[in-house]
Structures are given as C-alpha cells and as structure tokens.
C-alpha cells in the first residue's frame, strides 16, 4: 500500500478544531445509468446512505440543505453547477464525492469523470479531473478546506502519481491548497462495483466506518480523514480489494472530522425500536407502572425520546380507515436475504395460503421462483410481523424444463392451497402452477388479444398483466393491466387501465367474462388487486417520480354498476361515467414512519416500491392503536428490483372495509 505514515497523527480536538458542519457543504455525485457505458446499479445506494450519515449529528451533522445529491447527471454542466452552488455556501469545508465510471486516455493519461451520456475516447463528453481541480483551486480563498472522494476506476490518477503525505508534496500549481483527495484505487486499477450488492466496494467500507466508527479506539471521540483512510486500507486489504490512496496538503488529513460512533463518549442517538427492544420497553414500563413508581404522564416523553419517529401502531391520517400495525425490513437483512442459495429479491406479488400467517410471494425476474413465507411468529396476532422464508420453489413448464423468460407479476393461490395462478409479463401469460413441484398444469389461460404487445395487441411489453385476484368463492378471477393499452387515453397523468374478469372455478377452467375500465391517480399505475367479494376489490396503485420518491395507495373498488368495456376500442377522457367507482382506504405516505429508514429521497421513510398485497383475517378493534371496527389485516410487500437503493419491506395494516 502506498500512503502516508501509519503513525497516530490525529491532533486533539482542542488543538486544531473540528471541521465545522455548520459552515460546510457537500456534493454527492453518483452515475448509475449510462447510454454508452455499462450501468452501475450499486451507486445510488452509496448516495442515499452517505447523505443520511453525513447529516446525522452522531456522524458529522451537516444540515440536509447543505448536502446536494446529484443522481445520474446527463452533462458535465449538471456535475459542475452544484459544485459552484456549494462553494457559495461553504466557508469551512467543501466535500465533493464522485462515484461512477472513471476513464483515462492514452493521449494524456488524465482522469476523466463520466456523466450518463459520456462516451469512451470522447473527452469532451466527460469532466476532466484537471478541470474539477481548477474549480476547487478557484475557491481556496473562500473555503478553508476542500475534500475530494473518488470511487471510480483509475481514480489514483487524480493524485498525479503521488499518493503521499503532505511533507512530500510538490508542484503546487497542479494541486489545491488546504485539500485532501481520497481515491478508491491506484492510477491503473479498476474499482469494484458488484451489481448484486447494495453499495460499491470502496464506498461500502466507507459507509461501514461512518456507521460504526473505529471499535479499536473507543477512547477516541473524533476520527480524521487519515483515520478513515487507515480503516479503509485495513478493511479492503482483508477482502483482497484495491487499496485506497490519499493526497494531503496543509495537514487537512489530521483534522478531527467525524464522531467515532464506537467511542464510549459518542453522541450517537438511541437505535430505532426493534421488536425485542419494544417488547422489553413495554414490559419494563408495565412493571414500573404496577409498582407505582411513575404515572402515565411519562408515556408521551418515552415516544419523543426518539426524534423524527412516530410510534406504531398508529393511524394513517386524521380520518383514516387504516392503521399501520407493523413494518419489517427483515427480509432485506443479510441474515434473511438469501435462502438455499436463492436471493430473496424482486418480490412483486403476495398471496395468503389459508388466511393465516402463511404466504407465497412470486419473484418478478429470472430465475422464475415462488417463495414460501412465514409472516409472523407462531401464535402472533395478525399484524405482528416476523417474516422468514421457509421454502423456495422454481417455476417450470409442464415437462419440467425451465422457462426462457418469465417475469412473474401476479399471484393468486387457489382453494386448497395446492395450485396457484401466476401472471407473467413476458409472453404475456396467466398459468396455473402446482405448488408442490412448480410445474405448469394445463394450457395458459386465454388472454384478450389487446392484452398482448404489438403487433398482435396494444399492451406495453413491460406493463401488461400485472395483478391477479380470485374471489373468495372461486367463481371469478380478476386480471389487472398495469398501464393503459395503446389508444386508451391518459387524463392529466391519470392512467385509464383495464381489468379483465374471468368466470370459472378454482382449480378448473376460467374464461373471459367482463372487462372494466379503471382510472389510477396521477403518476400511479395499477400494481395489485385483491378480491374481497364478487364485485368488491382492493386496488393497489404505486409509482415513482424521480426527486419525489414513491407513492403507494390502496383503494376500495365497487364494480356492481360498472359498464362492461370489452367491446370499447378506446377509453377516452370523457369516459369517467364508464369507469369503476373507487374510494381511498390508505395512502401509505400518511402512515407513521415507524422504525425503518430509507435509502432514497422519500416523503416518508416508510415508502418504497410496494407491488404486492394480500388480505388477511380480522383484527380486534379498539385498543391503544385505535383500530377501526370490522377491520382486517392487510399485508403489503415492496419489490426491491434487486437494486441497492430499494428495500424488500413487509407492511401490516388494519383496514376498515365497506360491506357491499
């Protein structure tokens, strides 16, 4: 490893003073999607978690308004403009982080940072690191310190071949005064970015250091950039990964920077309430109350002891018909996100097997699989989540061979729990699968011709048969389209989609019966259906808007007086009286955030890419949670798309439904 002296170089906080977050700013640039270069799916996870940690008062405490994430900039200007803006705000320290492809040319052997539209061998489409250095040099009289962190291939090229301590620096014309550069690699090495991981290799270890500090030095309250570099070098060496390099000028690397969260004196806030801690706290509080030591007036203070978190169970809005009972990211945890060699990811549909805590979830990507899930511990009440995977079954053709493509989106377990209907967007198709061995039984169910992609139909290739629902009596099957057919008009961003009803019997044949028009809310798509009765549905709408985050709403749908649109060629904006009638049950954004965290910009950290929904048994009404009368458990599951910035998350709500 090339670097500075490994001696203990940190000065005491009182000698040099800490890098002041109140007068600092940070720009986090991450490029994950490219037009002409390979994508880097793990980069967005870096940005989301670094933003959260740098804003955390127990790490650095930079105000969120002073952190600017720049996701997938298309041009060089979109990369540099936020840096100029940050220079106007910072007087103490400016941090510029970049993760993406780093290129170098044979002509000048310089480092070039790429944008989404960058091309190889066309340096004019990239940001030359030399130019970034000039921008930072121009603000040296205004900003005391400039810190550059580069997570890209050939990033050591930014050091001009000198990854050394400040005592050996020369050629100041090419360097910024009062600066620190930390790189993921040497000049001729490639960085590691495994598309299956949540973070890139270098940034993942950096995140671990910010999260956990230096447990070997519990006596040290603050860590410097040099401390971070040493911890990174040790961790990456143990994993046989490229070594980080640094360049320090004017002793910036020795300055106290972040709090050491492993220190016994760390200002680290309490961890969020895990199930075990909530149970322990409840028992302790109850015991104390019985003993007469304190009065009930302490309870509100107990909840307020965790800033920014609202207790669950909790109502989802002032006049809500839903209560959030529990939420769990356990299936996303490294201890649970793999089962018998299969990644537990991409879960896009949920179906209860018998109305209890046993459920099935289908994977929306290859390999085609159905996971068996236990939603709660034995004897737990509806809504008390403790999700675990109990089995995994591949989905096969009738002869036992694998499907070349599948992309499962809808799932409905039939009566008796021996078979399930599964919809696949690739095809598209609705198939009956035997749950015992995963083999298809019989032929595909008939689909309306229009539900196929062009040229034979009018459906989008990747937004067609998204949802399936079987009525409790098994006499009807509903199949919902995610997006409008070609020719069906949007109404100010609200999609007019179609729901096909089938008539038949559970385990037997189903034939198309009637077709209904359904209008989603602005920017949302129809993701899932649940059949409460013959003409009574629940509809899950979800969508994503970049910069705003996810949306997820559940509506109750009454089809009793809805017009059959089977023979209607086009749904137009004046067809409102022909569409299904719906009423809002719950907007997930209005629920208490509970005990989860988000890796992306969201209005509520609870929100993610919710795609699956299943209706469970009755939930006792009343109590501290204020569960409405006649409520049933509603389970939702999010599809992480095997992407690092998304989460496999399970939700349990109590919802009060109308009795048609």
């Amino acid at each position: 490893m090339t670097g500075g002296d490994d001696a203990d170089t940190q000065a005491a906080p009182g000698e040099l003073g800490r890098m002041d977050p109140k007068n600092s700013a940070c720009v986090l640039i991450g490029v994950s999607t490219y037009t002409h270069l390979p994508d880097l799916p793990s980069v967005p996870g870096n940005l989301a978690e670094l933003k959260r940690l740098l804003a955390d008062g127990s790490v650095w405490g930079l105000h969120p308004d002073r952190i600017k994430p720049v996701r997938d900039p298309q041009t060089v200007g979109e990369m540099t403009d936020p840096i100029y803006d940050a220079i106007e705000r910072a007087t103490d320290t400016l941090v510029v982080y970049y993760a993406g492809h780093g290129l170098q040319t044979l002509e000048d052997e310089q480092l070039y940072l790429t944008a989404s539209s960058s091309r190889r061998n066309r340096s004019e489409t990239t940001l030359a690191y030399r130019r970034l250095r000039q921008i930072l040099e121009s603000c040296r009289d205004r900003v005391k310190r400039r810190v550059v962190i580069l997570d890209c291939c050939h990033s050591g090229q930014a050091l001009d071949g000198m990854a050394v301590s400040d005592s050996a620096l020369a050629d100041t014309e090419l360097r910024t005064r009062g600066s620190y550069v930390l790189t993921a690699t040497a000049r001729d090495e490639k960085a590691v970015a495994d598309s299956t991981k949540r973070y890139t290799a270098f940034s993942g270890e950096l995140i671990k250091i910010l999260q956990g500090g230096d447990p070997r030095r519990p006596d040290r309250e603050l860590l410097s950039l040099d401390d971070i570099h040493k911890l990174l070098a040790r961790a990456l060496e143990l994993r046989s990964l490229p070594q980080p390099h640094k360049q320090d000028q004017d002793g910036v690397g020795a300055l106290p920077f972040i709090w050491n969260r492993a220190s016994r004196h760390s200002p680290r806030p309490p961890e969020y309430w895990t199930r075990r801690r909530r149970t322990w706290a409840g028992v302790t509080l109850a015991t104390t109350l019985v003993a007469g030591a304190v009065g009930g007036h302490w309870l509100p203070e107990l909840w307020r002891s965790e800033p920014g978190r609202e207790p669950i169970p909790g109502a989802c809005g002032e006049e809500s018909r839903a209560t959030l009972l529990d939420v769990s990211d356990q299936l996303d945890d490294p201890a649970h996100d793999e089962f018998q060699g299969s990644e537990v990811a991409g879960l896009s549909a949920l179906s209860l097997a018998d109305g209890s805590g046993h459920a099935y979830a289908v994977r929306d990507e290859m390999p085609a699989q159905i996971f068996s899930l236990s939603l709660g511990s034995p004897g737990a009440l509806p809504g008390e989540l403790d999700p675990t995977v109990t089995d995994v079954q591949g989905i096969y053709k009738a002869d036992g061979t694998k499907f070349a493509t599948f992309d499962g989106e809808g799932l409905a377990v039939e009566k008796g729990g021996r078979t399930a209907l599964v919809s696949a967007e690739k095809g598209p198709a609705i198939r009956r699968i035997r749950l015992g061995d995963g083999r298809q039984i019989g032929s595909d169910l008939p689909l309306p011709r229009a539900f196929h992609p062009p040229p034979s139909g009018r459906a989008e290739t990747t937004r067609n048969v998204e949802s399936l629902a079987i009525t409790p009596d098994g006499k009807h099957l509903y199949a919902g389209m995610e997006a409008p057919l070609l020719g069906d008009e949007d109404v100010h961003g609200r999609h007019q989609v179609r729901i096909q009803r089938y008539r038949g019997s559970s385990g037997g044949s189903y034939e198309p019966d009637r077709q209904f028009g359904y209008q989603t809310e602005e920017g949302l798509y129809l993701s899932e259906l649940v059949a409460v009765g013959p003409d009574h549905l629940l509809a899950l709408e979800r969508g994503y808007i970049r910069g705003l985050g996810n949306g997820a709403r559940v509506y109750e749908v009454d089809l009793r007086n809805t017009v059959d649109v089977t023979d209607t060629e086009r749904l137009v904006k004046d067809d409102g009286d022909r569409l299904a009638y719906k009423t809002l049950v719950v907007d997930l954004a209005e629920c208490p955030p509970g005990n989860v965290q988000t890796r992306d910009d969201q209005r509520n950290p609870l929100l993610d890419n919710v795609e699956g929904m299943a209706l469970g048994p009755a939930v006792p009404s009343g109590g501290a949670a204020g569960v409405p009368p006649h409520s049933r458990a509603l389970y939702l599951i999010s599809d992480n798309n095997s992407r690092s910035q998304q989460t496999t998350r399970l939700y349990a709500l109590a919802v009060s439904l109308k009795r048609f």
Side-chain angles (χ1 to χ4, degrees):
M1 179 186 75
T2 308
D5 182 24
D6 199 42
D8 191 351
T9 58
Q10 177 172 336
E15 292 180 15
L16 291 175
R18 181 177 173 235
M19 294 186 188
D20 181 13
K22 293 181 180 180
N23 296 301
S24 298
C26 176
V27 179
L28 302 171
I29 304 171
V31 190
S32 62
T33 58
Y34 286 87
T35 306
H36 308 288
L37 297 169
D39 289 346
L40 298 172
S42 51
V43 166
N46 297 353
L47 264 62
E49 188 64 4
L50 287 172
K51 178 185 176 182
R52 185 188 72 81
L53 288 168
L54 292 174
D56 192 320
S58 67
V59 179
W60 193 20
L62 194 61
H63 193 280
D65 288 346
R66 289 178 169 267
I67 306 176
K68 176 61 176 178
V70 182
R71 295 182 175 88
D72 294 327
Q74 294 294 314
T75 65
V76 172
E78 291 181 23
M79 299 168 70
T80 57
D81 284 350
I83 297 174
Y84 282 113
D85 293 341
I87 288 172
E88 295 299 317
R89 305 197 66 183
T91 56
D92 188 90
T93 302
L94 171 63
V95 178
V96 176
Y97 166 91
Y98 173 84
H101 283 299
L103 304 177
Q104 63 177 352
T105 65
L106 296 176
E107 291 78 10
D108 56 13
E109 294 188 352
Q110 295 297 311
L111 174 66
Y112 293 89
L113 309 180
T114 57
S116 288
S117 61
S118 296
R119 293 174 177 264
R120 294 186 186 275
N121 301 319
R122 296 189 184 180
S123 58
E124 67 275 10
T125 67
T126 66
L127 172 61
Y129 182 74
R130 182 184 295 270
R131 176 56 189 152
L132 173 60
R133 190 167 48 212
Q134 290 171 345
I135 295 172
L136 298 179
E137 173 74 10
S138 68
C139 70
R140 63 178 181 175
D141 293 334
R142 173 181 173 80
V143 184
K144 293 180 182 178
R145 293 170 282 272
R146 282 82 60 208
V147 177
V148 179
I149 302 174
L150 300 176
D151 185 359
C152 61
C153 296
H154 314 296
S155 53
Q157 195 74 53
L159 307 176
D160 300 317
M162 297 179 64
V164 295
S165 63
D166 58 320
S167 61
L169 289 178
D171 194 4
T172 56
E173 182 181 353
L174 295 178
R175 296 175 178 80
T176 54
R177 183 177 62 83
S179 64
Y180 195 93
V181 182
L182 180 62
T183 70
T185 70
R187 60 191 305 157
D188 295 321
E189 283 186 309
K190 292 186 176 181
V192 178
D194 188 337
S195 62
T196 67
K197 302 299 183 182
R198 182 172 299 174
Y199 313 116
T200 60
F202 170 83
S203 292
E205 294 299 335
L206 175 61
I207 286 167
K208 288 180 183 178
I209 294 168
L210 299 182
Q211 289 173 336
D214 184 358
R216 298 187 179 188
R217 297 299 305 269
D219 58 320
R220 175 168 292 179
E221 290 186 66
L222 292 157
L223 300 177
S224 67
L225 286 164
D226 279 345
D227 293 326
I228 292 172
H229 171 257
K230 294 170 191 173
L231 291 168
L232 280 169
R234 185 181 299 121
L236 293 167
E237 185 176 19
L238 289 174
R239 296 176 58 191
S240 300
L241 292 171
Q243 284 288 284
H245 289 64
K246 67 167 187 172
Q247 180 171 282
D248 184 6
Q249 191 166 25
D250 289 352
V252 173
L255 293 176
F257 177 30
I258 62 168
W259 295 102
N260 179 13
R261 296 181 87 179
S263 168
R264 63 176 67 97
H265 306 297
S266 168
R268 184 174 185 167
E271 293 286 349
Y272 59 78
W273 291 101
T274 61
R275 175 180 301 279
R276 182 175 297 176
R277 286 175 179 142
R278 289 201 305 269
T279 302
W280 175 85
V283 171
T284 302
L285 179 61
T287 304
T288 307
L289 289 173
V290 171
V294 299
H297 61 277
W298 274 24
L299 189 57
E301 293 300 324
L302 174 64
W303 289 117
R304 282 200 297 267
S305 67
E306 188 178 11
R309 298 288 180 199
E310 297 176 35
I312 54 173
C316 298
E318 295 182 359
E319 300 180 0
S320 177
R321 295 168 55 195
T323 298
L324 180 66
L325 299 176
D326 202 358
V327 58
S328 173
D329 289 353
Q330 186 164 294
L331 294 177
D332 203 66
D333 188 271
H336 298 271
D337 66 358
E338 184 177 297
F339 184 82
Q340 294 182 357
S342 294
E343 182 186 14
V344 182
L347 305 184
S348 64
L350 190 69
S351 183
L352 293 188
D354 51 16
S356 67
H358 187 154
Y360 292 95
V362 69
R363 185 170 181 164
D364 71 349
E365 56 189 32
M366 299 301 289
Q369 292 175 317
I370 295 177
F371 290 91
S372 297
L373 305 176
S374 173
L375 301 182
S377 303
L381 294 173
E384 292 186 354
L385 297 177
D386 185 17
T388 56
V389 177
T390 59
D391 198 10
V392 61
Q393 175 62 62
I395 300 176
Y396 303 99
K397 297 179 182 179
D399 62 4
T401 59
K402 294 182 178 180
F403 286 95
T405 59
F406 198 83
D407 197 9
E409 294 290 353
L411 175 68
V413 176
E414 298 187 279
K415 273 190 172 182
R418 296 181 179 180
T419 58
L421 296 174
V422 181
S423 66
E425 284 188 332
K426 300 293 177 61
I430 301 175
R431 303 180 174 106
R432 176 172 283 115
I433 302 297
R434 187 165 47 231
L435 292 173
D437 58 11
R439 294 195 180 194
Q440 180 174 353
I441 302 173
S443 302
D444 296 356
L445 268 63
L447 273 178
R449 183 174 180 178
F451 283 25
H452 289 265
S456 60
R458 299 190 289 122
E460 289 189 29
T461 304
T462 59
R463 290 188 187 272
N464 46 63
V465 188
E466 179 76 11
S467 52
L468 293 178
I470 300 175
T471 56
D473 61 10
K475 294 182 179 180
H476 291 97
L477 167 71
Y478 287 93
M481 299 294 285
E482 182 179 10
L485 299 178
L486 183 66
D488 288 347
E489 295 181 358
D490 281 7
V491 182
H492 305 298
R494 298 190 294 273
H495 304 302
Q496 297 192 119
V497 301
R498 301 193 184 218
I499 299 173
Q500 178 66 51
R501 188 175 78 176
Y502 292 78
R503 182 182 294 275
S505 60
S506 184
S509 63
Y510 281 105
E511 296 295 330
D513 176 26
R514 303 182 69 192
Q515 194 176 109
F516 306 102
Y518 178 92
Q519 187 178 104
T520 68
E521 295 306 297
E522 186 175 358
L524 301 181
Y525 293 87
L526 180 60
S527 179
E528 187 66 287
L529 295 171
V530 167
V532 184
D535 302 298
H536 184 186
L537 303 178
L538 292 180
L540 169 64
E541 299 180 17
R542 68 97 173 87
Y544 177 80
I545 299 177
R546 186 173 177 181
L548 298 177
N550 290 95
R553 296 180 179 181
V554 177
Y555 290 87
E556 198 165 7
V557 184
D558 184 356
L559 294 174
R560 286 176 296 181
N561 299 311
T562 306
V563 175
D564 183 359
V565 297
T566 300
D567 297 325
T568 302
E569 181 69 18
R570 298 176 66 235
L571 296 176
V572 297
K573 64 180 181 180
D574 296 322
D575 280 342
D577 59 335
R578 298 162 56 83
L579 304 178
Y581 177 75
K582 68 178 187 179
T583 56
L584 181 66
V585 175
V586 59
D587 182 346
L588 208 59
E590 299 299 321
C591 293
N595 58 351
V596 296
Q597 297 173 342
T598 181
R599 303 178 189 134
D600 202 355
D601 287 335
Q602 301 285 359
R603 293 172 295 161
N604 183 333
L606 195 69
L607 291 168
D608 211 281
N609 182 38
V610 181
E611 287 203 18
M613 176 172 65
L615 190 62
V619 178
S621 61
V627 174
H630 312 298
S631 292
R632 294 181 65 178
L634 184 70
Y635 299 99
L636 305 175
I637 195 166
S638 64
D639 175 3
N640 72 346
N641 288 312
S642 297
R643 301 181 66 183
S644 57
Q645 72 270 36
Q646 294 176 302
T647 303
T648 301
R649 177 171 293 162
L650 189 67
Y651 309 78
L653 302 98
V655 295
S656 176
L657 303 179
K658 295 179 180 178
R659 299 187 174 185
F660 289 176

